[in-house]
Amino acid sequence: MSNDETIKWLDTSRGRLAWREDGPTSGVPLLLLQRFRGTMDDWDPAFIAAIAQDRRVIRFDSAGIGRSAGEVPDSIGGIAAVAAEVIRSLGFGQVDVLGWSLGGVVGQQLALDAPQLVRRLIVAGSSPGPVPDGPQAHPRVAQVMTKPENGPEDFLFLFYPETETAVAAGRASLARIAAQPQLGPKVTAAAFMGQVKAISSWPGVLHRAKELRLPILVANGAHDVMLPAYRSYVLSQQAPDAKLVLYPDAGHAFLFQEIDDFAAEVDRFLTH
C-alpha cells in the first residue's frame, strides 16, 4: 500500500518537479522512469502496489511533463540528467532503476552517464537504440502514437496483442489507470515534440554496451509492435551482465498484463 498518496514537490535546476513515493521507506529505492507521452499517473496502480510491497518506489514527472514545471530536454542525455538530479536532490546515494519504453532508454543513458547512482537497472519494453537488422515496428505504430490524443483502442493496439486474453488484461489495466483519483494534466504538444526530438537524436548504447557493467534485467512482451522483442535480445547479448525475460501472449505493456509474474521477477532481481 502507499505510505503517502499525496503529490510531493522537488525544486531542481529544471524547475519544480512533482513526485510520489510508495512502499516502506527502508532499503535501496526503486526509481521509475516513464514511457513516451506518459506521466506518473500512467503507471498501473496494481503494478505499483505489487512492486512497492517490500520496497520504496519513487515515481516523478520529469521536466516539462504532467504536473512538473520546466521544458522537456531535447536530448536523452538531458532527460537522464533530470533523473540524476532527482536522485541526488532526494538524498539518495544510489538507487535501482526501472525504465519502461522511453524510460528504459533514459535508464540506459543514466547508467552510462552517472554509473555511481544506479545499482541495478531494469529495462522494460525498450531498446538499446537503432537496430538495423531484425523486426521493425508495426507500420501503423508511427501514425497511432503521434495522434493528438490516444484513446483506449489506440493503447490496446500499441500495448497488447490482439488475443482475447491480452485484450481483456489491457482493458482491465486501462480501467485501473483511469479510475485513479487526482489525475494530473496530460503531456502537452510542446512536451511531445521535445520527447520526439530527444528520441530521434539518440545514437543508442550499442557502441557503449560493454560499459554497462551493472546487473541488468531486460524484459518485454514477445509480441511488442512498438519496440520488437528482438531489440531486447540484442541488448541482453551486448551488455556484460544482462538477463533476458520475454512474456508470451504479451506486448509493450507486459508489465501491466503479467503483474504478479513480473513483480516477482523484479523482486528476485533486486534482492539476490
Side-chain angles (χ1 to χ4, degrees):
M1 296 296 292
S2 299
N3 65 336
D4 193 343
E5 290 291 345
T6 60
I7 306 294
K8 299 172 185 284
W9 299 95
L10 190 64
D11 290 316
T12 74
S13 64
R14 302 277 183 168
R16 201 170 183 228
L17 305 186
W19 68 286
R20 272 189 175 136
E21 61 180 333
D22 297 85
T25 55
S26 59
V28 179
L30 176 61
L31 182 77
L32 304 185
L33 301 176
Q34 183 57 296
R35 64 168 171 84
F36 177 66
R37 289 179 88 176
T39 72
M40 63 179 173
D41 297 325
D42 289 309
W43 295 100
D44 186 324
F47 175 70
I48 296 291
I51 62 171
Q53 199 164 349
D54 298 312
R55 64 177 39 83
R56 187 178 193 177
V57 174
I58 307 289
R59 49 189 159 137
F60 70 102
D61 285 339
S62 187
I65 298 295
R67 296 176 176 85
S68 290
E71 295 181 1
V72 174
D74 61 2
S75 69
I76 296 299
I79 300 173
V82 176
E85 187 172 353
V86 167
I87 295 167
R88 293 188 181 104
S89 298
L90 290 174
F92 302 136
Q94 199 172 48
V95 298
D96 295 323
V97 171
L98 188 160
W100 175 36
S101 194
L102 168 62
V105 163
V106 175
Q108 292 170 76
Q109 194 64 52
L110 175 63
L112 286 172
D113 294 347
Q116 72 284 0
L117 293 181
V118 185
R119 187 186 73 115
R120 295 187 172 215
L121 173 64
I122 301 167
V123 179
S126 194
S127 166
V131 178
D133 60 334
Q136 300 300 306
H138 188 289
R140 275 186 61 216
V141 164
Q143 171 201 346
V144 174
M145 69 185 289
T146 54
K147 284 184 180 181
E149 191 165 334
N150 287 130
E153 297 307 312
D154 295 328
F155 286 123
L156 287 173
F157 163 70
L158 293 171
F159 292 170
Y160 299 91
E162 295 177 339
T163 66
E164 188 177 342
T165 308
V167 169
R171 290 194 189 283
S173 176
L174 291 171
R176 289 191 297 267
I177 292 168
Q180 296 175 102
Q182 303 179 358
L183 289 175
K186 296 185 183 299
V187 171
T188 65
F192 164 83
M193 291 309 298
Q195 288 186 325
V196 168
K197 187 172 182 181
I199 294 164
S200 58
S201 63
W202 190 54
V205 301
L206 288 181
H207 63 299
R208 297 183 62 190
K210 301 300 183 195
E211 297 174 45
L212 290 167
R213 300 196 173 279
L214 75 170
I216 302 177
L217 174 63
V218 186
N220 203 352
H223 305 285
D224 188 338
V225 298
M226 299 181 71
L227 294 168
Y230 176 71
R231 300 186 187 189
S232 296
Y233 167 75
V234 170
L235 175 60
S236 75
Q237 293 296 292
Q238 296 295 323
D241 189 7
K243 175 183 179 180
L244 175 66
V245 178
L246 296 179
Y247 287 88
D249 189 32
H252 198 63
F254 72 93
L255 62 175
F256 302 158
Q257 181 177 337
E258 302 291 348
I259 290 174
D260 291 343
D261 192 304
F262 185 57
E265 193 73 51
V266 168
D267 188 61
R268 266 194 305 275
F269 174 69
L270 296 180
T271 55
H272 292 91

